[in-house]
Amino acid sequence: MSDELQVQIKGLMPTPSGCGVFLGNGKHGGKIIAIFVDHHVAAAITMFLKGVEKPRPLTHDLITHIFAGLDARLEKVLINDLKNDTYYARLYITQENELGRNVVEIDARPSDSMALALQQHAPIFVKASVWERAEDMAWALEESSGDEDGDEDVEE
């Protein structure tokens, strides 16, 4: 197993306090992990998945506009740690200009990171050691398969 596994969003499941975002990579026995996000970021993720046009820029749109103004782009998202049932992530942002190429690594919530990755068509990775420690939530995704976001891959 390499140090990082590329994953895709396999489904979303509403919860009383937000939404479960199910991630899988199609390998490693069909394991699925779930990251629970608040309602606001869940709404943003859903809008990006469905290509919904918004009348005014939301927070993730603003971040993308700032990146564009700085000639920067999101290269990838890495979910890099799991502590006390809380996931951690890093954004890898590249800026290229006449002075050269600079890569900046920024600590970020996985929820915001996934929303930005969807919006900017950047890949999402999970560190192999995190993947191994994370609970397999395939059963929960299977139980929600009656929902419209069911067990189909939802990321383009």
Side-chain angles (χ1 to χ4, degrees), residues 24-93:
N25 75 343
K27 300 176 186 172
H28 303 95
K31 183 175 183 174
I32 301 288
I33 67 170
I35 296 179
F36 294 92
V37 305
D38 67 43
H39 288 292
H40 299 291
V41 180
I45 288 171
T46 301
M47 284 188 268
F48 294 135
L49 283 171
K50 296 184 179 202
V52 173
E53 293 292 324
K54 298 166 287 294
R56 295 286 299 143
L58 300 177
T59 303
H60 297 96
D61 302 311
L62 174 63
I63 293 168
T64 296
H65 294 177
I66 291 169
F67 285 175
L70 297 171
D71 289 325
R73 70 178 188 279
L74 181 63
E75 286 292 320
K76 72 176 184 178
V77 165
L78 175 63
I79 299 168
N80 68 322
D81 206 353
L82 173 60
K83 296 178 188 173
N84 300 320
D85 295 325
T86 299
Y87 288 92
Y88 294 79
R90 307 290 288 177
L91 298 175
Y92 289 80
I93 301 164

